[in-house]
Amino acid sequence: MTEGTTSAAEGGDTLTRLEQEGEIAADYLEGLLDIADLDGDIDMDVEGDRAAVSIVGDSSGRDLQKLVGHDGEVLEALQELTRLAVHRETGDRSRLMLDIAGFRAKRRAELTELGAQAADEAKNSGEPVRLKPMSPFERKVVHDAVAAAGLRSESEGEEPQRFVVVLPA
């Protein structure tokens, strides 16, 4: 069985619900692309326990950068709007993840490296390592990378200044 899929006996209803979320999100985003007069293809998937929708464009991805914005701010807003559109249709809260022009995939790789480096620094110095404030998505990626390196981390502070602290062993 491939990652992100479950058998009908293990939770096919959940998979069907997540696929439905992806379909609703894709329809909403298609309309948005039409209104903005932007070209892009929409890919849907189920990753773990959430629907994942990506908007991909031509190889340069320049057109879609408008939908990403500075540090992904527009992407975050569009993700929330897309989640609201899904909620309006289903009545259920959505945890859908949106990626545009590979921004989140690239950012995930950068944050995984940052988490691994912070874990090494905490191991070597024996001192906690505090990182700059991050979005919930970014913090989760860093927490996962730190855990993979065998250390613990926690989030501190209040949004939007919440940040990760990597703890030494």
Side-chain angles (χ1 to χ4, degrees), residues 106-125:
K106 181 178 175 230
R107 187 72 179 129
R108 180 177 280 134
E110 293 168 354
L111 291 165
T112 299
E113 178 65 24
L114 176 67
Q117 289 172 354
D120 285 345
E121 185 179 334
K123 281 179 187 174
N124 293 334
S125 72

Side-chain angles (χ1 to χ4, degrees), residues 43-107:
D43 292 335
M44 294 178 296
D45 198 5
V46 174
E47 294 177 2
D49 60 348
R50 63 174 62 188
V53 179
S54 300
I55 301 175
V56 293
D58 65 18
S59 59
S60 73
R62 265 182 249 127
D63 275 356
L64 295 178
Q65 288 307 311
K66 298 171 192 169
L67 299 179
V68 173
H70 178 70
D71 285 338
E73 290 170 341
V74 176
L75 170 58
E76 289 291 333
L78 289 174
Q79 177 174 277
E80 287 306 310
L81 288 171
T82 304
R83 287 176 173 177
L84 286 171
V86 170
H87 181 267
R88 185 185 66 223
E89 292 288 322
T90 65
D92 295 325
R93 184 175 172 271
S94 174
R95 295 183 57 238
L96 175 135
M97 284 294 287
L98 175 63
D99 193 4
I100 299 174
F103 177 83
R104 278 199 203 278
K106 181 178 175 230
R107 187 72 179 129

